[in-house]
Amino acid sequence: MAPPGRRRGALSPLLLTLSFILLLASTASAASAVIGIDLGTEYIKAALVKPGIPLEIVLTKDSRRKEAATVAFKPAAGPAGAFPERLYGSDAVALAARFPSDVYPNLKPLLGLARGSSPVEEEYRSRHPALDVVVNATRNTLAFKSAACAEDEKPFLVEEILAMELQNIRANAEALAGKGSYIRDVVITVPPFYTADERRALELAADLAGLRVLALVSDGLAVGINYATSRTFPSVNDATKPAKPEHHLVFDMGAGSTSATVLRFRGRTVKDVGRTNKTVQEVDVLGAGWDRSLGGDAFNGAILDHMADEFAATAKAKAAGVTVDGVKAHGRAAAKLWKEAERLRQVLSANTETQAGFEGLYEDVDFRYKITRPQLEEMLTHFADRIEAPIARALAAANLSVAELDSVILHGGAVRTPLVQRRLEKLLGDAGKLRSNVNADEAAVFGAAFKGAGLTPGFRVKEIRASDCAGYAVGIDWKSDGKGNDLLIRPAWGPCSRATEHKQKVFLPTSQTGAEKQIPCKNREDLRFGISQHLSGGQVAPVATVQTTNLTKSVAKLADKHGCAEADIVAKFAIRLSPSNGLPEVVRGSVSCEVDDTDKKGSVVDGVKGLFGFGGKKDEQEVLQEGEAEALSGESTPSSSSPSASSSSSSSSSSASKSSSSTAPDADKPRKKTEVIPLSFTATTEGLPEVPVAEIKRLKQRLADFDASDAARRQREEAVNTLEAFTYRARDLLSDDSFVGASTETEREQLGVKLQAASDWLYGDGADAAKDMLKERLKELKAIVNPIDRRRQEAAKRPQEVKLLREALEQSKSLVAMIRDQVDKAASPTAEAEAKPSSPSSAADDDFAELDDDTSTSTSTATSSKAAEASEVPMYTADDVASIAAVHESVDKWLTAKVAEQEKLSAQDDPVLVSADISAKAKELNKAVMDVLQMKMKTPPKAKASSKGKSKTKKGKGKSGTSSSTSTTATTDGEMPTIRVGEEGDMPLEEEMLEALEKAKEKVAGKMSKGKGKGKDKTHDPNEL
């Protein structure tokens, strides 16, 4: 056997493998966290899924369950060119009246919006007149110029500001996940009407925020997933009793838009691993309808318009020349009215009337406003008439009627408006179908988070197969040369005057995401075709352009190498609706033709298969018949079954010969095979121009600079707070008697001057000071206060520390004397005589009465001999005494010298005997004692002698001493009592150590007197010492 020291030299390969697996598991656990985000127009909600945190709402910094979708830039008070301070949520909304030109709310409708392409742009400008909305020259989209930034700072893209909001959500989620967590994966909800440009703009914002989008899921489907998590639907393909699917409509009215989504819920029995089946839940979107501008913001706008009219009609406003347009165009006045309009609408959802008041609303004119619910409903009449249209479109797309719906699930904040609910009840004809059995605010975010958990390998969740719909029809378009041939479009070719445009629809608005279609192509040369979405109103939005690069060469290769005729060559493209974002994409292309198979030898793979007995061709390997299977199983049985095996073997041989004879004529027939060549192609994004790589890098760098600026600002604020708190504490110390006693008059006067100067500077010239200057001021004050405070604290703690150390020295001194006495006794002739074992004959005489007939006397003799040998070994040695005595003497001399030196000093002098040194010496002394005690008393138990006779149990009651610093543990045969040091590492009391040692002596003596001649096993009570 190798020496013990060498056996630890190399780590076991198994240990290394397990360590690597644990490292991967911990890394996967840290990386498996995912968040679901419900991106609303007015609010953003997020839910976190992480091992140990199942589906929990991410709270904001002020512990709210949703965050206002608003970012504000507060002008910086630092040097020129510094980035402004960013605020989010309710903090940002609160600044709207003060800094209306730097508060950016409700950006969702502006995503992917080209300038002049929608009335949404003008509506946003009118609601937020103070914002400086400009145009981004690269993409022709909207951007914002901030007055809080430097003059030469480039405008902010909508995606960039939204990325800031997503970064804030991510930071809150990581705070919830715990220290050291890193979150990257996200699933985001989108309206069903989002186009390719809008979806890509959202993905760009997530990328700028450092997030990876696992999927974009429509609002209605997210609500449906959440609905299915707590329900189980019967299987529609149950052989005994197939069930019918359920159809529900999700009516989602938020702040910016309204959508209606028809969902089909059903269970389906599918094959599981092995021969078992399982039932999965399916949630499918059958159709969707929407109104892009119908929502809570539209209701707020109606209230705002009414308030502006009422304000302009007051006598004071008329006297000041106030006009309605002037009020709406004024940034601060419009911000105040908009904020109050939302509050009034929410109050009127539960009350019949309410009022609002404004001081100095515009031109220093005050305004009092009162509104009732009937007045509000009258304002919203033309909006209420638009509620039915999205539902009708969704039902028409799903080919269902209102009567076929099982229920209508309400979602969104605006559905709480009484007028909306009455219109829905009237449309359904049955108020019982109107359900509020999901959380109207959080169902979508929970559904998104659940889908994210299902897409992440680190989670095992209920299997819900959810499929969205395309929302818009998808088609392809290309050109031909006018002769029936598809037009080859190369960079070298010019436009063809006789070219004819062709269009083909590939997917319907109700086509499921993940669906794939094969599109055949007659062209024999490289071509280009476009993919587009067919929007409402006959608009066609290009999505991508696909250009092949090897179609011409592939066709020529098939013709030259394989002799393919041009008419037999087929080109195909596979187009799919992406399961992640729902956009159409070309996944592959191929060109192929069918030729004669002239390869008689088979391929290399077939040869390898034949070598290992797998067969080269599928038709060369027949399925075993029942008799053949029995024959094969019989080959592994004993020789008694050999006749059966031989008959089966002959049967198998005849069957093989028949098979070869029957297939011989077929071998002369020509065999066909398909030659396939994959096509290479490039896909170019169409629609809004892509942001250049260099621009994306610049945007990410600016976001990083913002983060660094915010971090530096927080650190500076902490430095200000620390300096301010220290000045208050130092002033309190000047009036403390102990502090006065530990300081001189000169030191206190100097400290008072420094404190006054620091306070004047902090609230004067130092209000905008940098962090380093603040730390320098704090350092100057600490240089005076800390030495005095240290003297004060040491003077208070020193007497008790010295007293404890002296007690420890006395205890160790007693222990040394006790151990020395034990060593001396063990070495004396009297102890050796008492330790001699008794004669075997007397031991045998004592034990005959209790032994069974089959008990051997040899066992008792061996046991007695071992007990005698154990009693002869002393517990401690002279070296143990010397080691403790040396440390005791060293600590005692140190303490005596230091106490004498400290007594010569005054209370205003720096101490030479400090509590840290005293504690270190106490630990040194304690360690020396405990090393000896634990080394001697934690002796491994000796193996017990076994006997064939009955085992006799002897129980004894032991006393256990308890103390705050030391306790004794239970022991069994062959073990010595163990002394445990207290939780604070205090020295054991002398009485406790003496008690433990006396019990050890009694135990050894008891084994000597009672164990002589016993051949039976002894079993001690677990509490016996």
Side-chain angles (χ1 to χ4, degrees):
M1 179 181 292
R6 295 184 181 179
R7 289 203 300 266
R8 297 184 181 180
L11 292 177
S12 167
L14 178 60
L15 180 59
L16 291 175
T17 304
L18 292 176
S19 301
F20 182 68
I21 293 175
L22 290 175
L23 177 62
L24 290 179
S26 62
T27 305
S29 176
S32 60
V34 61
I35 54 175
I37 295 180
D38 180 15
L39 182 62
T41 302
E42 187 178 6
Y43 290 99
I44 299 179
K45 295 172 281 290
L48 172 67
V49 182
K50 181 181 180 292
I53 304 179
L55 287 179
E56 186 168 343
I57 288 291
V58 177
L59 301 179
T60 65
K61 292 182 179 179
D62 49 357
S63 300
R64 298 185 180 182
R65 298 180 69 86
K66 58 183 179 180
E67 187 87 276
T70 305
V71 180
F73 292 167
K74 186 177 180 180
F83 284 103
E85 180 183 359
R86 294 179 298 180
L87 292 95
Y88 302 95
S90 58
D91 294 337
V93 174
L95 291 179
R98 293 177 56 195
F99 306 103
S101 60
D102 284 298
V103 178
Y104 307 97
N106 303 8
L107 297 176
K108 181 180 176 181
L110 304 181
L111 277 175
L113 185 65
R115 183 185 182 185
S117 62
S118 172
V120 174
E121 175 186 349
E122 292 302 323
E123 186 176 0
Y124 191 87
R125 288 176 182 268
S126 64
R127 289 177 178 175
H128 309 284
L131 293 178
D132 187 4
V133 184
V134 297
V135 179
N136 178 264
T138 303
R139 309 187 70 203
N140 194 35
T141 56
L142 300 182
F144 297 95
K145 184 70 175 176
S146 174
C149 295
E151 187 66 27
D152 58 346
E153 191 69 41
K154 291 186 177 181
F156 293 86
L157 295 177
V158 175
E159 294 87 347
E160 188 178 4
I161 299 179
L162 181 59
M164 296 179 186
E165 298 181 28
L166 296 178
Q167 283 181 328
N168 180 56
I169 292 292
R170 174 183 176 179
N172 293 339
E174 289 176 346
L176 174 63
K179 186 178 181 180
S181 299
Y182 176 78
I183 297 176
R184 186 184 177 191
D185 296 334
V186 63
V187 173
I188 307 177
T189 63
V190 295
F193 54 77
Y194 254 25
T195 63
D197 289 336
E198 292 168 312
R199 292 172 186 263
R200 287 170 180 161
L202 181 55
E203 290 177 331
L204 173 60
D207 178 62
L208 293 177
L211 295 171
R212 179 178 59 184
V213 179
L214 298 179
L216 298 178
V217 57
S218 66
D219 296 324
L221 180 58
V223 175
I225 293 174
N226 177 252
Y227 184 81
T229 55
S230 58
R231 293 166 176 82
T232 300
F233 304 97
S235 177
V236 295
N237 60 341
D238 191 344
T240 58
K241 188 178 179 181
K244 293 183 178 180
E246 297 182 13
H247 296 93
H248 301 266
L249 185 142
V250 177
F251 184 80
D252 184 8
M253 177 178 281
S257 61
T258 298
S259 64
T261 306
V262 177
L263 301 175
R264 178 179 61 198
F265 297 87
R266 59 183 177 180
R268 181 178 295 278
T269 303
V270 297
K271 187 177 180 180
D272 200 359
V273 179
R275 297 184 178 182
T276 60
N277 294 331
K278 64 179 180 180
T279 301
V280 299
Q281 306 301 305
E282 295 182 347
V283 184
D284 303 318
V285 177
L286 302 183
W290 55 79
D291 190 324
R292 279 180 170 263
S293 59
L294 178 63
D297 281 357
F299 301 163
N300 297 342
I303 299 175
L304 186 147
D305 293 340
H306 187 260
M307 284 194 295
D309 294 338
E310 292 291 320
F311 175 63
T314 60
K316 291 184 179 181
K318 289 181 178 179
V322 175
T323 62
V324 175
D325 294 339
V327 174
K328 291 182 179 180
H330 190 265
R332 293 186 178 180
K336 292 179 180 179
L337 291 174
W338 183 262
K339 182 179 179 180
E340 199 63 21
E342 181 182 0
R343 187 190 68 83
L344 293 173
R345 177 179 62 84
Q346 294 175 353
V347 171
L348 288 177
S349 297
N351 299 274
T352 57
E353 63 177 26
T354 185
Q355 58 184 359
F358 305 87
E359 294 184 3
L361 176 61
Y362 182 66
E363 297 293 343
D364 292 330
V365 178
D366 298 339
F367 177 51
R368 295 292 180 269
Y369 178 74
K370 184 178 180 180
I371 184 174
T372 62
R373 184 186 292 178
Q375 287 178 316
L376 174 62
E377 294 180 352
E378 184 178 355
M379 300 176 198
L380 304 182
T381 302
H382 62 289
F383 293 112
D385 296 338
R386 296 161 54 183
I387 293 176
E388 184 178 351
I391 299 177
R393 294 194 196 101
L395 291 174
N399 197 21
L400 294 174
S401 64
V402 174
E404 293 176 285
L405 293 176
D406 291 282
S407 72
V408 173
I409 302 172
L410 301 180
H411 188 264
V415 296
R416 298 185 179 92
T417 306
L419 175 64
V420 175
Q421 295 193 5
R422 288 203 304 271
R423 286 300 182 104
L424 290 175
E425 292 175 0
K426 180 180 179 181
L427 173 64
L428 297 175
D430 182 7
K433 284 189 175 183
L434 207 61
R435 303 283 177 83
S436 299
N437 48 3
V438 300
N439 190 324
D441 287 326
E442 299 174 354
V445 68
F446 280 134
F450 187 91
K451 184 174 180 65
L455 295 174
T456 305
F459 297 98
R460 184 178 180 181
V461 297
K462 180 180 180 180
E463 189 169 356
I464 299 177
R465 299 180 179 179
S467 61
D468 217 328
C469 68
Y472 297 106
V474 175
I476 59 174
D477 55 89
W478 71 99
K479 294 181 180 180
S480 65
D481 58 3
K483 299 179 181 179
N485 298 319
D486 295 339
L487 178 62
L488 170 65
I489 302 179
R490 295 181 185 170
W493 284 26
C496 180
S497 59
R498 299 176 57 190
T500 305
E501 293 187 359
H502 298 273
K503 296 181 180 180
Q504 178 180 347
K505 186 173 293 186
V506 181
F507 295 106
L508 299 174
T510 55
S511 297
Q512 302 296 315
T513 55
E516 183 178 304
K517 285 192 177 181
Q518 299 285 339
I519 307 299
C521 177
K522 298 178 181 179
N523 208 76
R524 303 296 176 263
E525 295 181 330
D526 285 313
L527 59 86
R528 182 174 65 188
F529 61 90
I531 306 176
S532 57
Q533 287 181 327
H534 295 257
L535 309 181
S536 304
Q539 297 180 358
V540 178
V543 177
T545 297
V546 180
Q547 172 74 57
T548 63
T549 57
N550 68 334
L551 177 57
T552 304
K553 294 180 179 179
S554 300
V555 171
K557 183 178 180 180
L558 290 176
D560 297 342
K561 185 176 180 180
H562 302 284
C564 295
E566 183 177 341
D568 297 332
I569 297 177
V570 179
K572 294 180 180 179
F573 294 93
I575 302 179
R576 178 184 68 172
L577 289 175
S578 172
S580 61
N581 59 12
L583 299 182
E585 58 183 359
V586 178
V587 292
R588 61 183 175 276
S590 65
V591 59
S592 62
C593 74
E594 193 176 60
V595 298
D596 294 335
D597 186 7
T598 58
D599 188 4
K600 301 299 183 180
K601 297 181 180 180
S603 64
V604 177
V605 176
D606 294 335
V608 174
K609 289 182 178 180
L611 177 63
F612 289 98
F614 292 106
K617 303 288 190 300
K618 292 182 179 179
D619 54 358
E620 292 178 358
Q621 200 167 8
E622 294 187 357
V623 179
L624 293 177
Q625 303 298 325
E626 182 177 358
E628 296 171 346
E630 293 176 357
L632 291 177
S633 63
E635 290 177 0
S636 61
T637 58
S639 58
S640 60
S641 59
S642 58
S644 174
S646 61
S647 62
S648 299
S649 176
S650 61
S651 175
S652 176
S653 302
S654 62
S655 175
S657 62
K658 290 180 182 179
S659 174
S660 60
S661 61
S662 62
T663 57
D666 296 338
D668 298 334
K669 295 182 180 180
R671 302 176 64 181
K672 295 289 185 179
K673 68 176 183 179
T674 302
E675 290 290 339
V676 180
I677 300 178
L679 290 178
S680 300
F681 57 87
T682 58
T684 306
T685 300
E686 299 291 340
L688 289 177
E690 289 186 329
V691 180
V693 176
E695 181 67 7
I696 290 180
K697 185 177 180 180
R698 184 190 69 83
L699 295 175
K700 289 185 177 181
Q701 184 59 47
R702 182 158 68 174
L703 289 173
D705 293 341
F706 258 107
D707 293 339
S709 176
D710 290 342
R713 185 176 292 106
R714 288 193 297 268
Q715 293 173 3
R716 183 194 171 277
E717 291 174 354
E718 290 176 1
V720 171
N721 295 334
T722 303
L723 177 59
E724 189 176 24
F726 192 83
T727 57
Y728 290 138
R729 176 173 173 269
R731 292 183 188 278
D732 293 338
L733 288 176
L734 287 175
S735 59
D736 185 85
D737 294 338
S738 60
F739 187 85
V740 173
S743 61
T744 64
E745 184 66 28
T746 304
E747 289 175 332
R748 291 194 295 275
E749 291 179 358
Q750 184 183 6
L751 178 58
V753 172
K754 290 283 187 180
L755 289 174
Q756 186 61 42
S759 298
D760 296 342
W761 176 82
L762 184 60
Y763 301 113
D765 298 338
D768 300 329
K771 177 186 66 175
D772 295 338
M773 296 181 64
L774 294 167
K775 287 188 174 181
E776 187 63 29
R777 287 277 183 169
L778 180 62
K779 184 178 180 181
E780 293 177 1
L781 294 177
K782 285 186 174 181
I784 302 174
V785 174
N786 286 355
I788 302 174
D789 195 38
R790 181 169 175 264
R791 294 197 295 263
R792 179 180 67 90
Q793 294 179 2
E794 288 295 335
K797 293 189 297 184
R798 189 183 305 115
Q800 181 65 19
E801 295 286 343
V802 171
K803 178 183 177 182
L804 293 176
L805 182 57
R806 290 188 186 279
E807 292 177 356
L809 286 170
E810 290 298 326
Q811 293 175 8
S812 62
K813 182 178 180 181
S814 301
L815 180 64
V816 169
M818 179 193 66
I819 296 178
R820 183 178 289 113
D821 182 63
Q822 296 293 332
V823 172
D824 294 341
K825 287 183 178 180
S828 63
T830 305
E832 293 179 359
E834 292 178 354
K836 290 182 179 180
S838 56
S839 63
S841 59
S842 61
D845 294 340
D846 293 339
D847 293 336
F848 280 145
E850 297 181 2
L851 289 177
D852 293 335
D853 295 338
D854 58 347
T855 303
S856 175
T857 60
S858 61
T859 305
S860 63
T861 305
T863 304
S864 176
S865 176
K866 291 182 180 180
E869 292 175 0
S871 65
E872 294 176 357
V873 180
M875 184 177 298
Y876 297 102
T877 65
D879 293 339
D880 298 333
V881 177
S883 63
I884 300 177
V887 176
H888 174 273
E889 183 179 359
S890 172
V891 174
D892 190 28
K893 288 182 178 180
W894 176 87
L895 179 61
T896 303
K898 287 294 182 180
V899 169
E901 188 177 354
Q902 180 64 42
E903 290 176 351
K904 297 177 182 180
L905 302 177
S906 65
Q908 291 78 29
D909 294 328
D910 291 335
V912 295
L913 182 60
V914 296
S915 59
D917 295 341
I918 298 175
S919 299
K921 290 297 181 180
K923 289 181 179 179
E924 180 183 355
L925 182 62
N926 186 35
K927 182 177 183 302
V929 173
M930 297 312 300
D931 285 346
V932 173
L933 293 178
Q934 292 178 354
M935 178 178 62
K936 296 298 180 180
M937 304 179 78
K938 287 189 176 179
T939 306
K942 296 181 180 180
K944 299 180 181 180
S946 60
S947 64
K948 296 181 182 180
K950 296 182 181 180
S951 177
K952 184 177 180 180
T953 301
K954 180 179 179 62
K955 297 184 180 179
K957 295 182 180 180
K959 298 180 181 179
S960 59
T962 59
S963 174
S964 60
S965 61
T966 309
S967 63
T968 57
T969 58
T971 61
T972 56
D973 260 354
E975 297 183 2
M976 300 302 297
T978 302
I979 297 180
R980 293 198 306 264
V981 185
E983 296 180 357
E984 300 179 356
D986 296 334
M987 185 69 190
L989 296 178
E990 178 182 358
E991 294 79 1
E992 295 166 343
M993 291 187 292
L994 290 174
E995 181 183 0
L997 292 175
E998 289 298 330
K999 289 176 181 177
K1001 289 174 57 182
E1002 293 175 2
K1003 186 174 184 64
V1004 174
K1007 292 173 62 177
M1008 292 174 55
S1009 60
K1010 298 180 181 179
K1012 295 179 181 179
K1014 297 292 184 180
K1016 302 174 184 179
D1017 294 340
K1018 293 175 62 180
T1019 302
H1020 291 273
D1021 190 290
N1023 296 321
E1024 183 181 359
L1025 292 178

mmCIF file of all heavy atoms in Angstrom, residues 383-398:
data_model
loop_
_atom_site.group_PDB
_atom_site.id
_atom_site.type_symbol
_atom_site.label_atom_id
_atom_site.label_comp_id
_atom_site.label_asym_id
_atom_site.label_seq_id
_atom_site.Cartn_x
_atom_site.Cartn_y
_atom_site.Cartn_z
ATOM 1 N N PHE A 383 -66.499 55.790 -29.719
ATOM 2 C CA PHE A 383 -65.514 54.730 -29.493
ATOM 3 C C PHE A 383 -66.204 53.404 -29.183
ATOM 4 O O PHE A 383 -65.735 52.340 -29.604
ATOM 5 C CB PHE A 383 -64.589 55.099 -28.335
ATOM 6 C CG PHE A 383 -63.684 56.263 -28.612
ATOM 7 C CD1 PHE A 383 -63.854 57.459 -27.941
ATOM 8 C CD2 PHE A 383 -62.688 56.177 -29.558
ATOM 9 C CE1 PHE A 383 -63.024 58.536 -28.190
ATOM 10 C CE2 PHE A 383 -61.847 57.250 -29.815
ATOM 11 C CZ PHE A 383 -62.020 58.439 -29.130
ATOM 12 N N ALA A 384 -67.311 53.456 -28.447
ATOM 13 C CA ALA A 384 -68.014 52.226 -28.092
ATOM 14 C C ALA A 384 -68.548 51.518 -29.327
ATOM 15 O O ALA A 384 -68.652 50.282 -29.339
ATOM 16 C CB ALA A 384 -69.148 52.539 -27.123
ATOM 17 N N ASP A 385 -68.868 52.262 -30.357
ATOM 18 C CA ASP A 385 -69.375 51.637 -31.586
ATOM 19 C C ASP A 385 -68.309 50.820 -32.304
ATOM 20 O O ASP A 385 -68.643 50.017 -33.181
ATOM 21 C CB ASP A 385 -69.915 52.714 -32.534
ATOM 22 C CG ASP A 385 -71.121 53.450 -31.951
ATOM 23 O OD1 ASP A 385 -71.777 52.860 -31.059
ATOM 24 O OD2 ASP A 385 -71.387 54.604 -32.357
ATOM 25 N N ARG A 386 -67.047 51.001 -31.945
ATOM 26 C CA ARG A 386 -65.962 50.278 -32.600
ATOM 27 C C ARG A 386 -65.565 49.000 -31.857
ATOM 28 O O ARG A 386 -64.665 48.281 -32.300
ATOM 29 C CB ARG A 386 -64.731 51.186 -32.719
ATOM 30 C CG ARG A 386 -64.965 52.388 -33.612
ATOM 31 C CD ARG A 386 -63.955 53.501 -33.372
ATOM 32 N NE ARG A 386 -62.568 53.056 -33.467
ATOM 33 C CZ ARG A 386 -61.523 53.833 -33.240
ATOM 34 N NH1 ARG A 386 -61.720 55.118 -32.878
ATOM 35 N NH2 ARG A 386 -60.301 53.357 -33.358
ATOM 36 N N ILE A 387 -66.221 48.713 -30.744
ATOM 37 C CA ILE A 387 -65.849 47.540 -29.947
ATOM 38 C C ILE A 387 -66.182 46.246 -30.674
ATOM 39 O O ILE A 387 -65.436 45.258 -30.593
ATOM 40 C CB ILE A 387 -66.550 47.599 -28.575
ATOM 41 C CG1 ILE A 387 -66.010 48.776 -27.761
ATOM 42 C CG2 ILE A 387 -66.367 46.303 -27.809
ATOM 43 C CD1 ILE A 387 -66.716 48.974 -26.442
ATOM 44 N N GLU A 388 -67.283 46.212 -31.403
ATOM 45 C CA GLU A 388 -67.745 44.969 -32.024
ATOM 46 C C GLU A 388 -66.877 44.536 -33.198
ATOM 47 O O GLU A 388 -66.762 43.329 -33.472
ATOM 48 C CB GLU A 388 -69.188 45.153 -32.491
ATOM 49 C CG GLU A 388 -69.808 43.899 -33.073
ATOM 50 C CD GLU A 388 -71.246 44.124 -33.481
ATOM 51 O OE1 GLU A 388 -71.797 45.208 -33.156
ATOM 52 O OE2 GLU A 388 -71.818 43.233 -34.116
ATOM 53 N N ALA A 389 -66.247 45.469 -33.891
ATOM 54 C CA ALA A 389 -65.532 45.137 -35.127
ATOM 55 C C ALA A 389 -64.398 44.132 -34.917
ATOM 56 O O ALA A 389 -64.294 43.149 -35.677
ATOM 57 C CB ALA A 389 -65.007 46.414 -35.782
ATOM 58 N N PRO A 390 -63.499 44.275 -33.949
ATOM 59 C CA PRO A 390 -62.443 43.265 -33.773
ATOM 60 C C PRO A 390 -62.982 41.873 -33.487
ATOM 61 O O PRO A 390 -62.441 40.880 -33.978
ATOM 62 C CB PRO A 390 -61.641 43.802 -32.581
ATOM 63 C CG PRO A 390 -61.915 45.266 -32.548
ATOM 64 C CD PRO A 390 -63.329 45.404 -33.010
ATOM 65 N N ILE A 391 -64.086 41.808 -32.717
ATOM 66 C CA ILE A 391 -64.658 40.493 -32.409
ATOM 67 C C ILE A 391 -65.228 39.860 -33.661
ATOM 68 O O ILE A 391 -65.045 38.659 -33.907
ATOM 69 C CB ILE A 391 -65.730 40.639 -31.320
ATOM 70 C CG1 ILE A 391 -65.107 41.196 -30.035
ATOM 71 C CG2 ILE A 391 -66.413 39.308 -31.047
ATOM 72 C CD1 ILE A 391 -66.109 41.450 -28.927
ATOM 73 N N ALA A 392 -65.899 40.649 -34.484
ATOM 74 C CA ALA A 392 -66.486 40.114 -35.713
ATOM 75 C C ALA A 392 -65.396 39.602 -36.655
ATOM 76 O O ALA A 392 -65.543 38.538 -37.273
ATOM 77 C CB ALA A 392 -67.316 41.192 -36.392
ATOM 78 N N ARG A 393 -64.283 40.336 -36.777
ATOM 79 C CA ARG A 393 -63.200 39.883 -37.651
ATOM 80 C C ARG A 393 -62.578 38.586 -37.143
ATOM 81 O O ARG A 393 -62.252 37.682 -37.923
ATOM 82 C CB ARG A 393 -62.124 40.963 -37.754
ATOM 83 C CG ARG A 393 -62.573 42.230 -38.435
ATOM 84 C CD ARG A 393 -61.375 43.093 -38.802
ATOM 85 N NE ARG A 393 -61.781 44.453 -39.118
ATOM 86 C CZ ARG A 393 -61.684 45.483 -38.299
ATOM 87 N NH1 ARG A 393 -61.167 45.299 -37.086
ATOM 88 N NH2 ARG A 393 -62.076 46.692 -38.655
ATOM 89 N N ALA A 394 -62.393 38.482 -35.843
ATOM 90 C CA ALA A 394 -61.793 37.278 -35.282
ATOM 91 C C ALA A 394 -62.693 36.063 -35.490
ATOM 92 O O ALA A 394 -62.213 34.979 -35.857
ATOM 93 C CB ALA A 394 -61.517 37.484 -33.792
ATOM 94 N N LEU A 395 -63.988 36.226 -35.269
ATOM 95 C CA LEU A 395 -64.909 35.105 -35.468
ATOM 96 C C LEU A 395 -64.986 34.710 -36.935
ATOM 97 O O LEU A 395 -65.067 33.517 -37.261
ATOM 98 C CB LEU A 395 -66.291 35.476 -34.933
ATOM 99 C CG LEU A 395 -66.421 35.622 -33.405
ATOM 100 C CD1 LEU A 395 -67.800 36.139 -33.028
ATOM 101 C CD2 LEU A 395 -66.142 34.289 -32.724
ATOM 102 N N ALA A 396 -64.956 35.687 -37.824
ATOM 103 C CA ALA A 396 -64.996 35.373 -39.252
ATOM 104 C C ALA A 396 -63.740 34.612 -39.680
ATOM 105 O O ALA A 396 -63.816 33.664 -40.467
ATOM 106 C CB ALA A 396 -65.137 36.662 -40.055
ATOM 107 N N ALA A 397 -62.574 35.005 -39.153
ATOM 108 C CA ALA A 397 -61.347 34.293 -39.497
ATOM 109 C C ALA A 397 -61.363 32.869 -38.964
ATOM 110 O O ALA A 397 -60.851 31.945 -39.609
ATOM 111 C CB ALA A 397 -60.142 35.046 -38.948
ATOM 112 N N ALA A 398 -61.959 32.668 -37.799
ATOM 113 C CA ALA A 398 -62.030 31.338 -37.202
ATOM 114 C C ALA A 398 -63.206 30.526 -37.707
ATOM 115 O O ALA A 398 -63.328 29.342 -37.349
ATOM 116 C CB ALA A 398 -62.112 31.455 -35.682
#
